[in-house]
Amino acid sequence: MAVRGFGIAWPGDWALALPSVLVTLREGVEAALVVGIVVTVLAQTRRRDLYPWVGAGVVGGVGCSLAGGWLLVVGLQHLTQMRPRVQYGVEAGLELLAAGLLTWMLLWMTRQGREMAGVIRQEVAAQRQGWGVGLIVLAAVLREGMETVIFIGAQFQQGWLPLTGAMAGVVGAVLVGYLLFGLGMRLPLRQFFLVMGSGLLLIVGGLLVSALWHLSKAVATAGAGLGVLVWDTSAWLPDGQGPGLLLKVLLGYRDHLYLLQALAYGGFLGIVGTLYYRSLRSVSASAKDSAVQGS
């Protein structure tokens, strides 16, 4: 049974919260790394008096993200009162926007992540005013927060479950940040981001499949313009309950899949997945070369 509106979910529908957990956890850990690096630089340069500006940046970034999320939800609730085709068009647009942002984040962070610490250190060292440090933190937190908000907005027809999953992801990100910078633990971050990135590839592929479905409903009828029906497994593995729902939220499975959806899903995983894993290999090779040169 699929969740619609903002009602109470059945126990089996809690799988719908998993994508939000994954997205928010990854985004939150990235924000936590930026905040932790800034705090570390300030401690090393004996500028602990600027810590309050770091806190202000975090609060400002979270606050702006929540405000943006609230405005988005209110706007979407009003749109649900409009004609169904308008609603489907809005859903498709949000899904495509979320897919684009998550893809950009995945590829950009993979290529730039290795240099991120050095760039942040330089930016913090160049700041002589506390508000400048606060702006660095605010920008990082707001960037990750708004990407999460747009993703959750794309799931607005699933009720409160995506929001619940996002809250769990934030708690997990705070915990990771505390373990890294509060307790000084060494965590396998490379493996963490590898797993998170692989999961995001599948989630974004599912967003594209869903966006095409909503576009077809916005233009005409469900399935119009999507080509021939590749399969219909609704009789034995429906995507609205049980194992089918879990496969839907994690792998992009649909019990009705059309040719254009299948091509978009496979093409996205093939092209973006190749770019992603190739970037990972190049980053690993660069790290090995640096280690050899430094030895």
Short mmCIF file of all heavy atoms in Angstrom, two decimals, residues 4 13 18 22 30 36 65-66 71 77 87 94 115 130 137 143 165-166 169-170 206 212 217 232 253 259 269 293:
data_model
loop_
_atom_site.label_atom_id
_atom_site.label_comp_id
_atom_site.label_asym_id
_atom_site.label_seq_id
_atom_site.Cartn_x
_atom_site.Cartn_y
_atom_site.Cartn_z
N ARG A 4 0.07 8.13 0.49
CA ARG A 4 -0.31 9.35 -0.19
C ARG A 4 -0.74 10.37 0.84
O ARG A 4 -1.41 10.05 1.81
CB ARG A 4 -1.47 9.11 -1.17
CG ARG A 4 -1.07 8.21 -2.33
CD ARG A 4 -0.18 8.95 -3.30
NE ARG A 4 0.34 8.05 -4.31
CZ ARG A 4 1.26 8.40 -5.16
NH1 ARG A 4 1.78 9.60 -5.14
NH2 ARG A 4 1.70 7.55 -6.06
N ASP A 13 5.49 0.40 5.08
CA ASP A 13 5.84 1.54 4.25
C ASP A 13 7.06 2.30 4.75
O ASP A 13 7.48 3.27 4.12
CB ASP A 13 4.66 2.50 4.16
CG ASP A 13 3.49 1.92 3.37
OD1 ASP A 13 3.76 1.18 2.41
OD2 ASP A 13 2.34 2.19 3.74
N LEU A 18 14.04 5.16 3.68
CA LEU A 18 15.44 4.78 3.49
C LEU A 18 16.20 5.69 2.52
O LEU A 18 17.34 6.07 2.80
CB LEU A 18 15.52 3.32 3.02
CG LEU A 18 15.07 2.28 4.06
CD1 LEU A 18 15.15 0.88 3.47
CD2 LEU A 18 15.93 2.38 5.32
N LEU A 22 19.71 7.81 3.44
CA LEU A 22 20.96 7.71 2.68
C LEU A 22 21.43 9.08 2.19
O LEU A 22 22.59 9.46 2.38
CB LEU A 22 20.77 6.76 1.50
CG LEU A 22 21.98 6.53 0.60
CD1 LEU A 22 23.07 5.81 1.37
CD2 LEU A 22 21.59 5.71 -0.63
N GLU A 30 29.22 15.33 4.72
CA GLU A 30 30.02 16.31 3.98
C GLU A 30 30.03 17.66 4.70
O GLU A 30 31.08 18.31 4.83
CB GLU A 30 29.48 16.46 2.56
CG GLU A 30 29.75 15.24 1.68
CD GLU A 30 29.14 15.39 0.29
OE1 GLU A 30 28.51 16.44 0.04
OE2 GLU A 30 29.29 14.48 -0.52
N GLY A 36 34.12 20.53 10.75
CA GLY A 36 35.24 19.99 11.53
C GLY A 36 36.58 20.53 11.08
O GLY A 36 37.44 20.83 11.91
N SER A 65 17.85 26.33 5.44
CA SER A 65 17.40 25.09 4.79
C SER A 65 16.00 24.71 5.25
O SER A 65 15.15 24.33 4.44
CB SER A 65 18.38 23.95 5.09
OG SER A 65 19.66 24.23 4.58
N LEU A 66 15.76 24.82 6.57
CA LEU A 66 14.43 24.50 7.10
C LEU A 66 13.38 25.47 6.56
O LEU A 66 12.26 25.06 6.22
CB LEU A 66 14.45 24.53 8.62
CG LEU A 66 15.24 23.41 9.31
CD1 LEU A 66 15.27 23.62 10.82
CD2 LEU A 66 14.66 22.04 8.97
N LEU A 71 8.75 26.45 3.00
CA LEU A 71 8.13 27.14 1.87
C LEU A 71 7.82 26.17 0.74
O LEU A 71 6.77 26.26 0.08
CB LEU A 71 9.05 28.25 1.37
CG LEU A 71 9.22 29.46 2.29
CD1 LEU A 71 10.28 30.41 1.72
CD2 LEU A 71 7.90 30.19 2.47
N GLN A 77 1.76 21.71 -1.12
CA GLN A 77 0.42 21.40 -0.61
C GLN A 77 -0.64 22.20 -1.35
O GLN A 77 -1.73 21.69 -1.62
CB GLN A 77 0.36 21.68 0.88
CG GLN A 77 1.07 20.64 1.74
CD GLN A 77 0.99 20.94 3.21
OE1 GLN A 77 1.06 22.10 3.63
NE2 GLN A 77 0.84 19.91 4.02
N GLN A 87 -0.17 18.90 -11.02
CA GLN A 87 0.51 18.24 -9.90
C GLN A 87 1.56 17.26 -10.41
O GLN A 87 2.69 17.22 -9.91
CB GLN A 87 -0.50 17.52 -9.03
CG GLN A 87 0.10 16.78 -7.84
CD GLN A 87 -0.94 16.06 -7.02
OE1 GLN A 87 -2.10 16.45 -7.00
NE2 GLN A 87 -0.53 14.98 -6.38
N LEU A 94 10.39 18.42 -9.96
CA LEU A 94 11.18 18.28 -8.73
C LEU A 94 12.08 17.06 -8.78
O LEU A 94 13.23 17.10 -8.32
CB LEU A 94 10.25 18.20 -7.52
CG LEU A 94 9.68 19.52 -6.99
CD1 LEU A 94 8.67 19.25 -5.89
CD2 LEU A 94 10.80 20.40 -6.47
N GLU A 115 40.92 17.63 -2.64
CA GLU A 115 41.48 18.95 -2.43
C GLU A 115 40.65 19.81 -1.49
O GLU A 115 41.03 20.94 -1.18
CB GLU A 115 41.61 19.69 -3.77
CG GLU A 115 42.67 19.12 -4.71
CD GLU A 115 42.19 17.91 -5.47
OE1 GLU A 115 40.95 17.76 -5.59
OE2 GLU A 115 43.02 17.10 -5.93
N GLY A 130 35.53 37.30 11.94
CA GLY A 130 34.73 36.15 12.32
C GLY A 130 33.57 35.90 11.38
O GLY A 130 33.23 34.74 11.09
N VAL A 137 31.12 28.50 6.67
CA VAL A 137 30.36 27.40 7.25
C VAL A 137 28.91 27.45 6.78
O VAL A 137 28.32 26.43 6.42
CB VAL A 137 30.42 27.48 8.79
CG1 VAL A 137 29.52 26.42 9.42
CG2 VAL A 137 31.86 27.29 9.27
N ARG A 143 24.37 24.62 1.30
CA ARG A 143 24.44 23.86 0.05
C ARG A 143 23.96 22.44 0.25
O ARG A 143 23.11 21.95 -0.51
CB ARG A 143 25.88 23.86 -0.49
CG ARG A 143 26.03 23.11 -1.83
CD ARG A 143 27.47 23.01 -2.26
NE ARG A 143 28.25 22.17 -1.37
CZ ARG A 143 29.35 22.56 -0.75
NH1 ARG A 143 29.80 23.79 -0.90
NH2 ARG A 143 30.02 21.72 0.03
N GLY A 165 13.02 10.01 7.71
CA GLY A 165 14.30 9.46 7.30
C GLY A 165 15.39 10.51 7.30
O GLY A 165 16.54 10.24 7.67
N ALA A 166 15.03 11.75 6.88
CA ALA A 166 16.02 12.83 6.87
C ALA A 166 16.50 13.15 8.29
O ALA A 166 17.69 13.39 8.51
CB ALA A 166 15.41 14.08 6.24
N GLY A 169 18.97 10.62 9.24
CA GLY A 169 20.23 10.86 8.56
C GLY A 169 21.03 11.98 9.20
O GLY A 169 22.26 11.90 9.31
N VAL A 170 20.35 13.04 9.66
CA VAL A 170 21.03 14.15 10.34
C VAL A 170 21.67 13.66 11.63
O VAL A 170 22.82 14.00 11.96
CB VAL A 170 20.04 15.29 10.63
CG1 VAL A 170 20.67 16.32 11.56
CG2 VAL A 170 19.62 15.96 9.32
N GLY A 206 16.21 5.68 -10.07
CA GLY A 206 14.79 5.54 -9.76
C GLY A 206 14.04 6.85 -9.89
O GLY A 206 12.88 6.87 -10.32
N LEU A 212 9.79 10.31 -15.51
CA LEU A 212 9.22 10.01 -16.82
C LEU A 212 7.76 9.56 -16.70
O LEU A 212 6.91 9.93 -17.52
CB LEU A 212 10.05 8.93 -17.52
CG LEU A 212 11.43 9.37 -18.01
CD1 LEU A 212 12.22 8.17 -18.52
CD2 LEU A 212 11.31 10.42 -19.10
N LYS A 217 1.93 11.24 -17.31
CA LYS A 217 0.61 11.52 -16.73
C LYS A 217 0.27 13.00 -16.83
O LYS A 217 -0.91 13.38 -16.90
CB LYS A 217 0.58 11.06 -15.27
CG LYS A 217 0.75 9.55 -15.11
CD LYS A 217 0.77 9.13 -13.66
CE LYS A 217 -0.59 9.17 -13.04
NZ LYS A 217 -0.59 8.58 -11.67
N ASP A 232 5.26 -6.31 -16.81
CA ASP A 232 4.18 -6.03 -15.87
C ASP A 232 4.23 -7.12 -14.80
O ASP A 232 3.78 -8.24 -15.01
CB ASP A 232 2.83 -6.03 -16.58
CG ASP A 232 1.66 -5.80 -15.61
OD1 ASP A 232 1.91 -5.63 -14.40
OD2 ASP A 232 0.50 -5.79 -16.07
N TYR A 253 13.04 -0.05 -8.84
CA TYR A 253 12.15 -1.05 -9.45
C TYR A 253 10.74 -0.48 -9.63
O TYR A 253 10.24 0.27 -8.81
CB TYR A 253 12.11 -2.30 -8.57
CG TYR A 253 10.96 -3.23 -8.86
CD1 TYR A 253 11.00 -4.09 -9.95
CD2 TYR A 253 9.82 -3.24 -8.03
CE1 TYR A 253 9.94 -4.95 -10.22
CE2 TYR A 253 8.77 -4.10 -8.30
CZ TYR A 253 8.83 -4.95 -9.39
OH TYR A 253 7.78 -5.79 -9.65
N LEU A 259 9.66 1.09 -22.09
CA LEU A 259 10.95 1.06 -22.77
C LEU A 259 11.77 2.32 -22.49
O LEU A 259 12.97 2.23 -22.20
CB LEU A 259 10.74 0.90 -24.28
CG LEU A 259 12.01 0.86 -25.13
CD1 LEU A 259 12.90 -0.31 -24.72
CD2 LEU A 259 11.65 0.77 -26.62
N LEU A 269 22.80 4.77 -15.32
CA LEU A 269 23.74 3.96 -14.55
C LEU A 269 25.01 3.69 -15.36
O LEU A 269 26.12 3.70 -14.80
CB LEU A 269 23.09 2.64 -14.15
CG LEU A 269 21.96 2.71 -13.12
CD1 LEU A 269 21.49 1.31 -12.75
CD2 LEU A 269 22.39 3.47 -11.87
N GLN A 293 55.78 9.65 -4.00
CA GLN A 293 56.67 10.81 -4.11
C GLN A 293 57.09 11.33 -2.74
O GLN A 293 58.20 11.84 -2.57
CB GLN A 293 55.99 11.92 -4.90
CG GLN A 293 55.77 11.55 -6.35
CD GLN A 293 54.95 12.61 -7.07
OE1 GLN A 293 54.61 13.63 -6.50
NE2 GLN A 293 54.62 12.35 -8.33
#
